[in-house]
Amino acid sequence: MALENSVFPSRPDSLSLPVEEKGEREEVEVATEATASTGVYNLSDELGHVVTTETTPSPPTSAKVNRSFQAKLAEREAKANQARKKAQGTEKERGRFGWARARRKRQRYVEKNGRCNVQHGNMRETYRYLTDIFTTLVDLNWRCSLFVFVMAYAVTWLFFGAIWYLIAYCRGDLDHLEDEKWTPCVNNVNGFISAFLFSIETETTIGYGHRVITDQCPVGTMLLLLQAILGSMVNAFMVGCMFVKISQPNKRAETLVFSKTAVISLRDDKLCLMFRVGDLRSSHIVGANMRAKLIKSKQTQEGEFIPLDQTDISVGFETGDDRLFLVSPLVISHEIDAHSPFWDMSQAQLEKEDFEIVVILEGMVEATGMTCQARSSYLAEEVMWGHRFSPMMSLAEGFFDVDYGAFHHTFEVDTPSSSARELSLAAARLDAHLYWSISSRLDEEPTLANQATKQPDSGCGGEPTFIVGEMTDIQEQSGLGELNGSVATDQSESEA
């Protein structure tokens, strides 16, 4: 400031910030005249402070640098608002000592493709897998299954080949290969390779005819019977395992698709949780049945912590809506009522919840008759409040056309942000208000009834006569009957 006052005792008029808005051309001309006359004045990017520099006259600056005060102020406010929104968007939860703590993403219990994200460890009773060896082999992956398949045959061929070679060696057949008078156990077995080939021919029943067992070897006959029986068992076991593994309906579940997100919106004036399911194949699922589970940890009143507690979500079991005719995509609905686990959940609470919804579709494959199960899951952030699924079926010439391009599409609808409990209480208050308004009208009826009793009888001739005194019992009963009739009439009119 001292330097400014000493060099420039007063700010030139050409550098004063304009109060009124001007066009870009006028601002450029003002800046050009200022720099051309003195050569030492420049406008800063902040608020137009004077900067004293000993520089040569510079060419005119662009219009972006020379801005009015209002434009600079608006830009500064925009930057501040943007920073504020960014800070609110990236606001993290605070820990115990005020440190920023990012919200941990929930680990899925069931993946979107249906795979259960659970691994079993520290299992000491592994012998139980061997008691059910068939299921163990079927559950193996394809690499292990092919390895077991190849090794089962190779081991049996090598084992019996070694026995055939041992028999030939013990009988001395290998020492009398050139002796035509010697009768070996197996003709043309002159080593381990030939014994191994004979084992393969025997177990696979190929029988080329070059290597043949003779009747002079009873041990070889017994071994031949044993290998034929064991070979048939190995064939049946391994071929059965491969057939079951190939025909497993797990791949059939790949064509049963679930929507990527679930939605919550009003349906028949009731909050409902909905998701969509469809079948991509022309062959249908027979007896399709839908189930849903809520996976959420909870703590009991006694203080017991139950991790990943499972709660049933009704999708129409009482009414039979859970049994599907899955020819076209269907929207599965769960009505949020007093028995629903989402009864107290509002839109604001949904953003803070940490749960997982597991949906299970079961049915029998029409082509093979085997039971198939497809699974998927939805986390709390995958449940969209106030959305509804887009329609995807249209009527074409002679058939219904299903557009699977809109299978995952949703659109926003007007949905209250309060919970189902709050909506039910609001509806109950409205009904109570109507009830008390009707009762207030009923209080006015006795006065009207008393006035009606003072009216003269239309059947009597002459002048009207007035009866002074109290009403008799008959008159009271008739008056009450008329009052009750009027009350019922008013109540029926209010209900209508």
Side-chain angles (χ1 to χ4, degrees):
M1 296 297 297
L3 181 60
E4 292 182 2
N5 295 333
S6 62
V7 178
F8 302 106
S10 63
R11 181 176 295 182
D13 296 336
S14 59
L15 290 178
S16 61
L17 296 176
V19 178
E20 299 179 357
E21 296 182 357
K22 296 183 180 180
E24 295 181 356
R25 295 183 179 179
E26 296 179 0
E27 295 177 1
V28 174
E29 291 178 359
V30 171
T32 305
E33 293 176 1
T35 54
S37 59
T38 58
V40 294
Y41 304 111
N42 290 326
L43 287 176
S44 64
D45 293 338
E46 297 295 331
L47 293 174
H49 296 298
V50 177
V51 181
T52 58
T53 56
E54 299 294 337
T55 58
T56 57
S58 59
T61 57
S62 61
K64 294 182 180 180
V65 178
N66 303 277
R67 293 169 295 180
S68 62
F69 179 77
Q70 288 82 356
K72 294 176 181 179
L73 186 60
E75 183 180 357
R76 177 170 291 183
E77 291 179 356
K79 289 182 178 180
N81 293 333
Q82 185 177 3
R84 190 180 301 108
K85 291 180 180 179
K86 185 176 180 181
Q88 293 177 357
T90 58
E91 184 178 1
K92 299 180 180 179
E93 299 179 359
R94 296 292 175 177
R96 182 176 180 181
F97 300 100
W99 296 95
R101 181 178 60 187
R103 184 178 180 181
R104 183 177 61 86
K105 186 177 179 180
R106 178 183 174 89
Q107 181 66 42
R108 286 186 180 273
Y109 190 67
V110 177
E111 299 291 341
K112 297 294 285 185
N113 58 1
R115 185 180 63 86
C116 297
N117 195 13
V118 178
Q119 294 183 359
H120 302 281
N122 196 18
M123 294 183 298
R124 299 179 181 179
E125 299 179 353
T126 55
Y127 65 90
R128 295 181 180 270
Y129 288 98
L130 298 178
T131 58
D132 189 12
I133 187 63
F134 185 83
T135 306
T136 303
L137 294 177
V138 171
D139 290 340
L140 293 176
N141 54 25
W142 275 104
R143 288 183 179 180
C144 296
S145 297
L146 293 177
F147 177 77
V148 172
F149 184 82
V150 172
M151 292 302 297
Y153 285 102
V155 168
T156 54
W157 294 339
L158 290 172
F159 175 74
F160 284 102
I163 295 178
W164 286 115
Y165 176 78
L166 183 61
I167 291 174
Y169 179 79
C170 294
R171 291 184 76 254
D173 296 340
L174 301 180
D175 300 331
H176 301 81
L177 295 178
E178 302 298 333
D179 189 359
E180 296 180 358
K181 297 180 180 181
W182 181 263
T183 303
C185 183
V186 180
N187 292 328
N188 301 315
V189 173
N190 51 13
F192 179 76
I193 300 298
S194 58
F196 177 70
L197 294 176
F198 179 73
S199 174
I200 296 176
E201 294 174 12
T202 302
E203 189 168 340
T204 56
T205 65
I206 295 176
Y208 291 110
H210 184 64
R211 299 177 182 87
V212 182
I213 189 171
T214 62
D215 56 355
Q216 302 295 325
C217 183
V219 178
T221 305
M222 298 295 294
L223 182 61
L224 180 64
L225 294 175
L226 180 62
Q227 185 175 5
I229 295 173
L230 292 179
S232 300
M233 294 176 61
V234 171
N235 288 332
F237 191 81
M238 299 310 302
V239 172
C241 288
M242 297 303 295
F243 177 77
V244 172
K245 192 171 183 64
I246 292 173
S247 61
Q248 273 186 327
N250 296 338
K251 296 302 179 182
R252 180 62 177 90
E254 297 293 335
T255 53
L256 297 174
V257 292
F258 295 88
S259 58
K260 295 181 180 178
T261 57
V263 298
I264 294 179
S265 61
L266 289 176
R267 175 176 279 189
D268 295 333
D269 293 335
K270 296 181 180 179
L271 278 179
C272 295
L273 171 69
M274 294 171 285
F275 57 93
R276 180 179 276 171
V277 61
D279 188 4
L280 301 179
R281 288 188 179 273
S282 300
S283 59
H284 309 305
I285 298 295
V286 180
N289 185 21
M290 177 62 66
R291 293 186 293 129
K293 293 281 188 179
L294 176 65
I295 309 298
K296 183 180 179 181
S297 302
K298 74 172 186 179
Q299 188 172 3
T300 62
Q301 298 179 359
E302 295 78 13
E304 180 187 3
F305 179 75
I306 304 177
L308 301 178
D309 181 61
Q310 299 184 11
T311 305
D312 284 334
I313 300 176
S314 176
V315 289
F317 177 76
E318 296 82 3
T319 60
D321 294 337
D322 60 333
R323 294 184 289 272
L324 310 178
F325 181 53
L326 198 59
V327 177
S328 60
L330 300 176
V331 176
I332 310 301
S333 175
H334 162 66
E335 182 180 338
I336 303 178
D337 53 8
H339 303 284
S340 173
F342 308 108
W343 175 244
D344 297 321
M345 187 180 67
S346 61
Q347 183 178 6
Q349 189 177 0
L350 175 62
E351 299 175 356
K352 302 177 183 179
E353 285 289 338
D354 187 14
F355 60 84
E356 182 176 356
I357 301 173
V358 178
V359 292
I360 304 170
L361 175 62
E362 293 179 340
M364 187 174 62
V365 182
E366 186 180 22
T368 61
M370 303 182 70
T371 303
C372 173
Q373 185 181 91
R375 298 180 295 267
S376 186
S377 66
Y378 302 98
L379 297 179
E381 54 266 19
E382 295 174 348
V383 179
M384 305 178 66
W385 190 285
H387 282 248
R388 187 180 298 166
F389 286 106
S390 301
M392 54 183 301
M393 180 178 291
S394 60
L395 180 60
E397 295 182 1
F399 61 92
F400 293 94
D401 186 21
V402 179
D403 181 17
Y404 273 94
F407 185 82
H408 303 285
H409 290 178
T410 60
F411 60 95
E412 294 185 5
V413 292
D414 294 334
T415 304
S417 59
S418 56
S419 63
R421 177 190 288 272
E422 295 173 352
L423 293 178
S424 178
L425 292 177
R429 292 192 191 98
L430 181 59
D431 294 340
H433 175 71
L434 294 176
Y435 173 78
W436 288 112
S437 63
I438 293 173
S439 62
S440 62
R441 291 182 58 188
L442 296 180
D443 294 338
E444 300 176 358
E445 294 296 334
T447 58
L448 297 177
N450 293 332
Q451 293 178 2
T453 56
K454 295 179 182 180
Q455 299 270 341
D457 231 356
S458 59
C460 299
E463 295 182 358
T465 59
F466 299 93
I467 301 174
V468 180
E470 296 181 355
M471 290 190 300
T472 62
D473 295 337
I474 300 175
Q475 290 176 346
E476 289 181 358
Q477 292 177 1
S478 62
L480 291 175
E482 293 176 357
L483 179 59
N484 293 333
S486 62
V487 170
T489 305
D490 293 340
Q491 187 174 2
S492 61
E493 290 179 356
S494 64
E495 291 178 355

